[in-house]
Amino acid sequence: MTHDVFNQAPPLTGHDVSADPALVEGVRREEADWALGELRMLGTLAGSARAQEWGRLANEHPPVLRTHDRYGNRLDEVEFHPAWHELMSVAVTHGLHASPWVSRRPGAHVARAAKFYVWSQVEAGHGCPISMTYASVAALRHRPALAAEWEPLLASRAYEPGLRPPATKRGVLAGMAMTEKQGGSDVRANTTRAEPLADGTYAITGHKWFNSAPMCDVFLVLAQAPGGLSCFLLPRVLPDGSRNALRLVRLKDKLGNRSNASAEVEYDGARAHLVGEEGRGVRTIIEMVNMTRLDCVLGSAAGMRAGVRQAVHHALHRSAFGKPLADQPLMRNVLADLVLESEAATTLALRLAGATDRAIRGDTGQGALRRVALAAAKYWVCKRAPGHAAESLECLGGNGYVEDSQLPRLFRESPLNGIWEGSGNVAALDLLRSVGKEPENLDAFFGEVDLAKGADADLDAAVRAAKDALADPAGLEYRARQVVERLALVLQASLLVRHGPPAVADAFCAARLGPERSLAYGGLPSGADLDAIIDRVNVKPA
């Protein structure tokens, strides 16, 4: 025999992706334990070979832009592989989009966050329109009449792709268009114009360099109105069935996120409705941005969990130098360190979801906490994702570098959440502006962190250092990344000390805050309970 196959890990299928202790514990803490049954159903589907095949096909057959039909008529449509629609259908029917907004149940936004985290581990790209549909409601509520008209359609659990008048569909999806060629994150440099019309609508003329998910039914768009930069709701199809004057120029050829369409668009007098007030467009659309920032954190945490699960699975089934990789001391150090990062990201993401849920229900203290903690998490968790993906891939050696392992897709996807909704510098500076304008936000943040005071000496010292760094105004903007990193780490450590198993909390505080801190994964100090940490990754059949 010349081709016996042995010492290869079997496919990682047939498991429950939601069987994740950090996830389940967070869902219970944040008032959403009523959703665990549906979460298990979704997790079992997410761990199936069928769902993983959908993820593969959606990325190997990316969307195609159809600008015109055979006769020269404008189409401006995006064509997707059937696997994309399967992924989207599952996401919508399970309420990963805007469904929590129409629920009065405590923990509704936490349940939705948990399901988004689980299903994102199948395929990340389709999460973009799901996330924006979720987030659009927060902005639309600045104009109650529009919210009343659109919320039922946005929150519907019916997935109906295709461009038709919204009133004829059972459910719709929303996208967003802020960025222009000359402006990037500086949206006040936008040149797209909005001219008021006699019927109360506006005519939008200009361009957008990035229009996320251009196949959606409606978009939140920034444009310069007579009163200044303003936010608008722009539908793809008008009530009479005619296409709005939105032209798709081309789809972006991206590093990752290839299953999802991102387009350059031009508007030629496209009809739109004002959301909020003229001149307050940033303040209006930032409500949407803050919700999608939560999903950036959830998406990065999901990617970390998917990567370390693959790494642990491989190490349990692969032998080298006479024994399984999972029994080799240095590999165990690396695996445990990757688990720590995943646990900290997941625990923080669920805490943010809980704060969001309570803030929406009127808890101003949780809103103040969220204002600082979300910016810190957006910066730090999303910044850690690429290195985590690279290390998880490396655990598989050459097997991790080939597309069949799914880890190259995970690696290509990993930088995106750090760019979306404000890159690292934007998130860090946003946090400093927040605490400068509203010091009570910082009080709420440290009120949360100080709940773990006295439990770990390294954490206590790190909290004091973080407070001192913020109190020193000299060069604060220059030091913004360093300051925000410290804030994110002390919040993660505090949550793990209060809620995580001692093995995880002790190792995280020592490895991330203590004097033996290592810059590379696999530098955990001696004495860490590696068995207890690695056991937090469940790769058993469902």
Side-chain angles (χ1 to χ4, degrees):
M1 296 295 291
T2 61
H3 192 68
D4 287 340
V5 177
F6 60 97
N7 198 25
Q8 288 278 3
L12 178 53
T13 60
H15 61 286
D16 176 5
V17 173
S18 77
D20 174 343
L23 174 68
V24 173
E25 292 159 10
V27 167
R28 287 178 171 150
R29 274 195 309 274
E30 304 298 339
E31 302 181 274
D33 56 338
W34 50 266
L36 288 174
E38 187 177 357
L39 191 61
R40 281 192 292 271
M41 291 174 56
L42 184 63
T44 301
L45 177 59
S48 69
R50 178 173 56 140
Q52 292 180 25
E53 182 68 358
W54 291 339
R56 182 187 71 81
L57 290 171
N59 280 269
E60 290 196 4
H61 302 276
V64 176
L65 174 60
R66 306 296 186 194
T67 57
H68 297 79
D69 67 13
R70 59 182 292 196
Y71 304 106
N73 300 304
R74 295 275 332 191
L75 288 176
D76 295 300
E77 294 190 0
V78 183
E79 186 177 279
F80 290 86
H81 189 274
W84 165 273
H85 296 296
E86 296 282 6
L87 294 165
M88 289 291 294
S89 179
V90 170
V92 171
T93 56
H94 280 267
L96 276 64
H97 59 320
S99 62
W101 295 102
V102 297
S103 172
R104 297 182 181 274
R105 196 165 194 175
H109 290 267
V110 177
R112 178 260 164 199
K115 288 186 281 188
F116 185 87
Y117 169 93
V118 165
W119 194 240
S120 293
Q121 294 180 52
V122 176
E123 199 283 320
H126 77 289
C128 175
I130 295 298
S131 177
M132 290 187 298
T133 302
Y134 169 61
S136 65
V137 175
L140 279 178
R141 289 187 170 182
H142 283 266
R143 188 168 175 186
L146 276 179
E149 176 185 352
W150 286 91
E151 271 190 39
L153 289 170
L154 291 165
S156 167
R157 294 200 181 196
Y159 174 57
E160 285 199 10
L163 297 179
R164 299 188 298 281
T168 69
K169 300 181 72 173
R170 293 180 300 148
V172 300
L173 298 172
M176 178 167 51
M178 292 196 297
T179 308
E180 298 186 5
K181 300 182 186 74
Q182 75 287 343
S185 297
D186 184 9
V187 294
R188 296 192 183 279
N190 285 5
T191 60
T192 297
R193 305 187 316 276
E195 303 290 339
L197 301 175
D199 64 358
T201 63
Y202 288 71
I204 309 295
T205 302
H207 74 277
K208 294 294 174 183
W209 192 229
F210 282 94
N211 187 133
S212 297
M215 64 288 181
C216 288
D217 300 276
V218 66
F219 303 95
L220 273 294
V221 176
L222 289 180
Q224 299 285 358
L229 189 65
S230 306
C231 180
F232 297 90
L233 182 75
L234 191 152
R236 283 295 311 271
V237 180
L238 298 173
D240 63 3
S242 62
R243 299 290 179 90
N244 208 352
L246 181 156
R247 315 299 185 207
L248 302 185
V249 178
R250 63 172 176 169
L251 299 185
K252 297 290 193 179
D253 186 7
K254 298 171 292 185
L255 167 67
N257 201 245
R258 299 189 69 83
S259 69
N260 177 47
S262 303
E264 296 170 26
V265 302
E266 293 179 353
Y267 311 110
D268 185 12
R271 295 297 184 96
H273 303 272
L274 180 66
V275 182
E277 302 174 24
E278 278 196 12
R280 297 175 69 84
V282 173
R283 182 178 290 272
T284 301
I285 208 166
I286 201 67
E287 298 288 349
M288 183 176 185
V289 170
N290 279 332
M291 303 307 295
T292 48
R293 280 181 175 177
L294 172 61
D295 282 0
C296 288
V297 178
L298 287 162
S300 291
M304 290 181 189
R305 192 64 180 186
V308 72
R309 183 181 281 114
Q310 290 280 356
V312 170
H313 175 73
H314 178 83
L316 287 170
H317 292 90
R318 179 82 163 182
S319 293
F321 309 112
K323 59 182 177 180
L325 285 174
D327 292 340
Q328 312 252 4
L330 187 54
M331 176 58 81
R332 292 175 60 73
N333 196 328
V334 171
L335 293 173
D337 210 354
L338 290 171
V339 175
L340 288 182
E341 197 71 39
S342 170
E343 293 265 317
T346 301
T347 302
L348 177 53
L350 268 294
R351 181 65 187 92
L352 289 172
T356 297
D357 193 86
R358 296 181 185 96
I360 289 169
R361 301 195 329 252
D363 189 327
T364 56
Q366 292 293 290
L369 166 65
R370 177 179 176 272
R371 182 69 181 86
V372 179
L374 181 58
K378 167 64 171 70
Y379 170 78
W380 183 243
V381 174
C382 298
K383 191 67 66 183
R384 295 289 281 177
H388 193 278
E391 195 70 56
S392 296
L393 183 155
E394 187 177 326
C395 288
L396 276 68
N399 286 337
Y401 202 70
V402 297
E403 293 293 336
D404 290 346
S405 72
Q406 301 180 16
L407 284 163
R409 179 180 5 130
L410 184 69
F411 180 66
R412 287 193 300 270
E413 197 75 29
S414 62
L416 184 54
N417 284 314
I419 298 169
W420 262 341
E421 314 305 13
S423 59
N425 286 355
V426 172
L429 295 173
D430 185 45
L431 187 152
L432 295 186
R433 281 192 294 270
S434 164
V435 300
K437 292 180 179 179
E438 300 173 289
E440 64 273 16
N441 293 344
L442 194 59
D443 294 337
F445 177 87
F446 280 116
E448 177 81 10
V449 170
D450 286 341
L451 292 174
K453 188 174 182 179
D456 185 277
D458 288 331
L459 173 57
D460 289 345
V463 172
R464 290 193 296 270
K467 292 178 178 178
D468 291 344
L470 275 168
D472 180 8
L476 189 56
E477 183 174 328
Y478 179 83
R479 296 183 288 113
R481 285 190 173 215
Q482 181 188 68
V483 170
V484 174
E485 175 184 327
R486 285 180 174 178
L487 293 177
L489 283 170
V490 297
L491 180 56
Q492 286 182 319
S494 170
L495 291 170
L496 291 176
V497 165
R498 291 164 55 204
H499 305 304
V504 170
D506 293 347
F508 186 87
C509 290
R512 303 295 187 267
L513 305 175
E516 294 185 59
R517 177 179 179 179
S518 173
L519 296 180
Y521 288 109
L524 296 184
S526 58
D529 188 348
L530 303 188
D531 287 341
I533 296 169
I534 295 172
D535 282 348
R536 300 280 286 180
V537 177
N538 188 342
V539 292
K540 301 179 182 70

